[in-house]
């Protein structure tokens, strides 16, 4: 268990509960009352009002098969057994549960992004010099500064694509290292200024991230594609077009739709509305406004983003914190 239960997100707790339930259902079947005692024995403060609806939902999802024991009173009682589908879910959750515990919700004082004295040099030229920045959970920050001053490099550092010569980076309180980078990237949605959508149909490009094991549980979100196409003023006919035929503005909006559907809570956006007119740019902003607890670090010269931002941070000459 995590040392402080109060810092664990609902998602993490549910993952732990489900692992316990599915594991025992696969071994010998479980009864609700016994499962309640078992979870409490492991330190989970779970009530019957939470457990029983969870068992029923897992049954409806096809993860558990319920058998009623008529000898256990006039109403009988349900014993739950693991199904083939439940076995697949258990395997998936077991892979993720350690990851979820490690990057579970941190106390409010821990920022979503922490950059400490980061220095980056390329071929003898200093791009960033002891740059520091904290972005709180749910905070919206615009990163400003002259073109070519290192703003995009900073975003690439947060993704682990560029390794600083000095300084440290933390994502949700966990240091970004060679050992954690792949896991922490799953918390982040990155939209570059010129998204590369590769070749093939747009529909295939949108569906591809959800075919990966780490995103398979989000496949239902694909049903929301028509909703977001409409929100972003994009025609459904684009789905059957080659990605190479899309305009720059269309590519930007499609990349943002994917970022949102992947359910990430930290968004790194590099000039995301640079190819959009004011009307479509405003639609993008209104959509991000509706995402609860989204942390956004955006590079933009578009004054529209100032409406959404909690503050603006300037990157000065030499890659230092601006005044």
């Amino acid at each position: 268990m995590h040392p402080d239960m109060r810092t664990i997100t609902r998602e993490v707790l549910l993952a732990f509960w489900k692992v316990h339930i599915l594991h025992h259902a696969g071994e010998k079947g479980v009864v609700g009352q016994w499962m309640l005692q078992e979870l409490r024995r492991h330190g989970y403060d779970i009530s019957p009002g939470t457990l029983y609806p969870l068992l029923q939902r897992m049954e409806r999802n096809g993860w558990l098969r319920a058998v009623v024991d008529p000898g256990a009173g006039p109403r009988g009682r349900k014993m739950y057994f693991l199904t083939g589908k439940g076995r697949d879910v258990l395997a998936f959750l077991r892979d993720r549960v350690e990851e979820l515990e490690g990057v579970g919700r941190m106390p409010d004082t821990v920022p979503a992004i922490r950059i400490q004295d980061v220095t980056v040099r390329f071929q003898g030229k200093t791009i960033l010099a002891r740059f520091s920045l904290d972005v709180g959970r749910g905070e919206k920050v615009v990163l400003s500064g002259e073109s070519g001053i290192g703003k995009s490099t900073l975003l690439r550092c947060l993704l682990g694509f560029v390794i600083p010569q000095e300084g440290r980076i933390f994502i949700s309180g966990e240091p970004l290292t060679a050992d954690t980078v792949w896991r922490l990237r799953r918390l982040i949605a990155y939209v570059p200024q010129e998204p590369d959508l590769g070749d093939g149909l747009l529909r295939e490009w949108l569906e591809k991230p959800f075919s990966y094991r780490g995103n398979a549980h989000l496949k239902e979100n694909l049903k929301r594609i028509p909703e977001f196409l409409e929100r972003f003023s994009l025609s459904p006919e684009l789905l059957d077009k080659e990605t190479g035929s899309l305009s720059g503005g269309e590519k930007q909006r499609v990349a943002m739709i994917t970022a949102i559907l992947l359910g990430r809570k930290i968004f790194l956006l590099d000039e995301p509305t640079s190819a959009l007119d004011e009307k479509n740019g405003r639609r993008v902003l209104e959509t991000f406004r509706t995402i609860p607890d989204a942390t956004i670090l955006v590079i933009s010269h578009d004054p529209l983003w100032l409406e959404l931002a909690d503050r603006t941070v300037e990157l000065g000459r030499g890659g230092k914190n601006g005044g």
Side-chain angles (χ1 to χ4, degrees):
M1 280 298 298
H2 194 284
D4 185 353
M5 286 291 295
R6 292 170 301 176
T7 68
I8 295 290
T9 58
R10 181 73 169 171
E11 180 193 10
V12 176
L13 284 176
L14 284 172
F16 276 106
W17 294 342
K18 289 172 182 175
V19 165
H20 278 278
I21 292 168
L22 293 170
H23 170 74
H24 288 292
E27 282 198 337
K28 56 186 177 183
V30 296
V31 176
Q33 184 61 35
W34 179 87
M35 197 68 241
L36 193 67
Q37 295 170 359
E38 179 70 8
L39 286 170
R40 287 175 174 173
R41 187 173 68 83
H42 280 84
Y44 295 101
D45 184 17
I46 184 171
S47 68
T50 299
L51 176 63
Y52 286 98
L54 178 60
L55 286 168
Q56 291 164 5
R57 189 158 62 249
M58 292 169 75
E59 180 187 359
R60 288 196 301 270
N61 288 344
W63 304 354
L64 297 174
R65 175 176 58 87
V67 175
V68 177
D69 178 5
R75 297 181 60 187
R77 68 175 181 180
K78 284 186 175 181
M79 178 168 277
Y80 295 90
F81 295 89
L82 192 65
T83 65
K85 185 175 181 181
R87 203 173 301 280
D88 292 339
V89 172
L90 176 59
F92 171 74
L93 284 175
R94 275 179 170 156
D95 284 346
R96 285 204 71 206
V97 79
E98 184 177 349
E99 165 200 332
L100 285 169
E101 184 180 24
V103 296
R105 186 172 189 169
M106 304 301 290
D108 289 343
T109 54
V110 176
I113 298 169
R114 169 161 284 172
I115 303 165
Q116 283 185 343
D117 297 325
V118 163
T119 296
V120 175
R121 301 184 190 92
F122 286 132
Q123 298 178 344
K125 180 182 178 183
T126 299
I127 308 299
L128 297 169
R130 298 185 63 81
F131 183 84
S132 296
L133 173 67
D134 279 2
V135 182
R137 287 190 291 109
E139 191 177 17
K140 283 74 174 166
V141 175
V142 171
L143 189 62
S144 67
E146 298 175 8
S147 296
I149 212 165
K151 301 186 297 296
S152 296
T153 298
L154 184 61
L155 295 193
R156 292 176 63 80
C157 286
L158 295 174
L159 292 159
F161 296 149
V162 173
I163 310 300
Q165 279 78 19
E166 299 172 22
R168 303 183 74 192
I169 292 171
F170 298 82
I171 304 296
S172 290
E174 187 169 3
L176 184 67
T177 66
D179 293 329
T180 64
V181 62
W182 288 101
R183 176 157 46 81
L184 293 179
R185 276 182 194 160
R186 295 181 189 172
L187 302 179
I188 299 171
Y190 172 54
V191 179
Q193 183 173 0
E194 298 178 1
D196 181 4
L197 307 189
D199 299 318
L201 298 179
L202 177 59
R203 184 188 304 278
E204 295 168 351
W205 186 85
L206 284 166
E207 292 174 351
K208 186 175 181 180
F210 299 89
S211 66
Y212 302 143
R213 185 175 181 179
N215 299 324
H217 64 298
L218 297 169
K219 234 172 186 176
E220 285 292 305
N221 288 353
L222 288 171
K223 294 178 181 178
R224 302 189 66 192
I225 288 176
E227 170 197 338
F228 281 103
L229 289 175
E230 183 177 358
R231 280 196 194 189
F232 285 0
S233 301
L234 293 170
S235 169
E237 295 177 0
L238 287 179
L239 293 173
D240 297 310
K241 287 191 174 183
E242 293 287 333
T243 54
S245 68
L246 272 61
S247 69
E250 288 169 340
K251 288 180 179 178
Q252 283 183 327
R253 282 173 283 175
V254 164
M256 283 185 275
I257 288 172
T258 301
I260 293 169
L261 292 178
L262 285 171
R264 308 293 163 83
K265 289 298 184 182
I266 300 175
F267 292 87
L268 306 180
L269 310 177
D270 192 346
E271 297 285 2
T273 53
S274 60
L276 303 181
D277 58 24
E278 182 178 351
K279 178 184 175 182
N280 285 317
R282 193 169 292 281
R283 279 178 172 265
V284 169
L285 256 70
E286 291 305 318
T287 298
F288 277 103
R289 219 187 285 272
T290 65
I291 302 174
D293 302 326
T295 301
I296 299 176
L297 180 59
V298 55
I299 298 170
S300 183
H301 295 92
D302 188 340
L304 282 175
W305 283 98
L306 297 178
E307 299 178 14
L308 181 70
D310 296 305
R311 60 190 170 108
T312 299
V313 173
E314 183 181 355
L315 187 60
R317 289 185 178 276
K320 299 177 181 179
N321 293 73

